Amino acid sequence: MMQLQPKSASKGSLYLQITMAMLRTGVLGYGGGPSVIPLIQHEAVQRYKWMDEEEFGDVLALAKALPGPIATKMAGYLGYRLCGYLGATAAIIAHILPSAVAMITLMSIVHILSHSVIIQGMIQGVAPVIAVMIGLIAYDFTKRVFSGLGRVFAVLTLALCFVFMQVLSIHPAILIVVFLLYGSVHYKWSDALRKRHRKPDINEQQEP
């Protein structure tokens, strides 16, 4: 696992980095939580190397299972991990501040923007970009599911989730709880099966 930051990095430098990183995600994160995640991933994994891809996926999966805005939870976790409670506070404020300022500023002229052909064209133009960003996150998660659960269990799990949510209209929160419980015993169960079918070691077969 990668180090959070070189030992020579000062506390002030870490505060500045987490603040600037979350400020960029807040400014560029058009479209809400799902579209912000690739931006947070770029900052945490590629730009500053606070964690690797695998750990980021684990943190993201846990954050999605908890209530509340996904991007705010990720910002708070990264800030806390780097600089404790003050870091979490700085990261959350830096992330939500651009959106808050923009909302307060634009609310007075929202009726004008809603009827603007140019604004509508901008929204329609950025929609495919958001769709691709969300698709890339879904693709990464699918690869992790196949590597973690195996091909058979992964396909079965994806099919069950699709049926439960799209056909039976079961709330996603219920599925999250169910599969969290399943995941907590899956690895113990699969490890027990491997041990049961494992061939005895040659040294174990030899009697003293």
Side-chain angles (χ1 to χ4, degrees):
M1 185 178 296
M2 296 180 180
Q3 295 290 331
L4 283 181
Q5 202 67 15
K7 293 183 179 180
S8 59
S10 64
K11 199 74 171 179
S13 176
L14 292 178
Y15 275 113
L16 179 61
Q17 289 178 4
I18 189 63
T19 300
M20 292 304 299
M22 294 302 102
L23 189 64
R24 281 191 291 267
T25 61
V27 171
L28 302 176
Y30 180 91
S35 64
V36 179
I37 297 305
L39 302 178
I40 297 179
Q41 182 182 28
H42 175 78
E43 298 288 341
V45 177
Q46 300 179 18
R47 183 189 294 270
Y48 293 113
K49 294 179 171 45
W50 293 326
M51 59 182 62
D52 55 25
E53 294 280 357
E54 182 178 358
E55 186 180 3
F56 184 86
D58 293 338
V59 174
L60 180 60
L62 182 60
K64 284 182 175 292
L66 299 175
I70 180 66
T72 306
K73 287 180 287 187
M74 294 295 293
Y77 171 78
L78 291 174
Y80 176 79
R81 175 166 176 165
L82 289 174
C83 301
Y85 291 108
L86 291 179
T89 302
I92 293 174
I93 292 176
H95 179 73
I96 66 176
L97 187 62
S99 298
V101 172
M103 282 294 297
I104 294 173
T105 303
L106 295 177
M107 278 300 294
S108 61
I109 55 174
V110 67
H111 64 283
I112 299 176
L113 295 177
S114 62
H115 298 290
S116 172
V117 178
I118 296 177
I119 297 300
Q120 291 298 323
M122 292 171 59
I123 295 175
Q124 295 300 323
V126 78
V129 179
I130 303 301
V132 171
M133 293 171 67
I134 297 174
L136 290 174
I137 291 293
Y139 175 72
D140 290 338
F141 264 85
T142 302
K143 290 195 302 182
R144 289 178 54 80
V145 170
F146 273 79
S147 62
L149 297 179
R151 188 176 300 274
V152 176
F153 281 106
V155 173
L156 180 60
T157 302
L158 293 173
L160 285 175
C161 290
F162 179 83
V163 171
F164 288 152
M165 288 191 293
Q166 298 297 321
V167 179
L168 302 179
S169 299
I170 296 178
H171 197 280
I174 299 176
L175 292 180
I176 289 175
V177 173
V178 171
F179 281 99
L180 278 175
L181 295 175
Y182 167 73
S184 64
V185 300
H186 170 80
Y187 283 104
K188 291 184 178 179
W189 177 63
S190 60
D191 186 59
L193 287 178
R194 282 194 297 267
K195 289 181 178 179
R196 180 179 299 178
H197 293 89
R198 187 182 63 182
K199 295 181 179 180
D201 188 76
I202 298 177
N203 294 329
E204 295 176 356
Q205 294 178 350
Q206 295 177 353
E207 295 182 0

